[in-house]
Amino acid sequence: MTPFDTEDMRFLVAVDVTHPNDNDERLNLGGELRLFERVAVRGGYRFGYDIERATLGAGIEAPLGDVVSRFDYAYTTYQLLPNVHRISLGMVF
């Protein structure tokens, strides 16, 4: 769902609920604030999971001629394990 959308800024909200037959219900909430179609700030939280909880992240896109390069970073908190940093680099042709 996009509750806020202008030419320079867009806010996206996502909700996912699962009811597996072999486990407890799980709820995932997330949001993304995108600025000027180039910079994104993201956050989310997972309910009903044993160890994983919150995730924060950001991304940036830069056009290089006909190619768009992307850089994304995410930080995930865990209850029993060490927290995790994720980095992603990509190119769209």
Side-chain angles (χ1 to χ4, degrees):
M1 167 177 169
T2 308
F4 184 78
D5 191 1
T6 66
E7 186 175 318
D8 297 335
M9 184 173 22
R10 178 178 29 187
F11 183 61
L12 174 72
V13 176
V15 177
D16 179 43
V17 179
T18 59
H19 179 74
N21 60 2
D22 62 345
N23 210 336
D24 295 332
E25 292 82 13
R26 294 179 175 178
L27 170 66
N28 303 309
L29 299 174
E32 176 185 77
L33 177 64
R34 185 169 284 271
L35 304 169
F36 305 106
E37 292 298 319
R38 298 285 181 232
V39 178
V41 179
R42 302 175 188 103
Y45 197 85
R46 294 177 154 212
F47 297 92
Y49 288 80
D50 293 334
I51 56 173
E52 193 173 354
R53 297 287 186 251
T55 301
L56 299 172
I60 189 165
E61 294 182 359
L64 302 170
D66 293 339
V67 178
V68 176
S69 61
R70 292 181 177 168
F71 173 81
D72 288 296
Y73 169 79
Y75 177 77
T76 305
T77 61
Y78 286 89
Q79 188 174 5
L80 301 174
L81 300 172
N83 298 332
V84 174
H85 300 269
R86 294 180 176 107
I87 296 174
S88 171
L89 300 172
M91 297 179 85
V92 178
F93 297 93

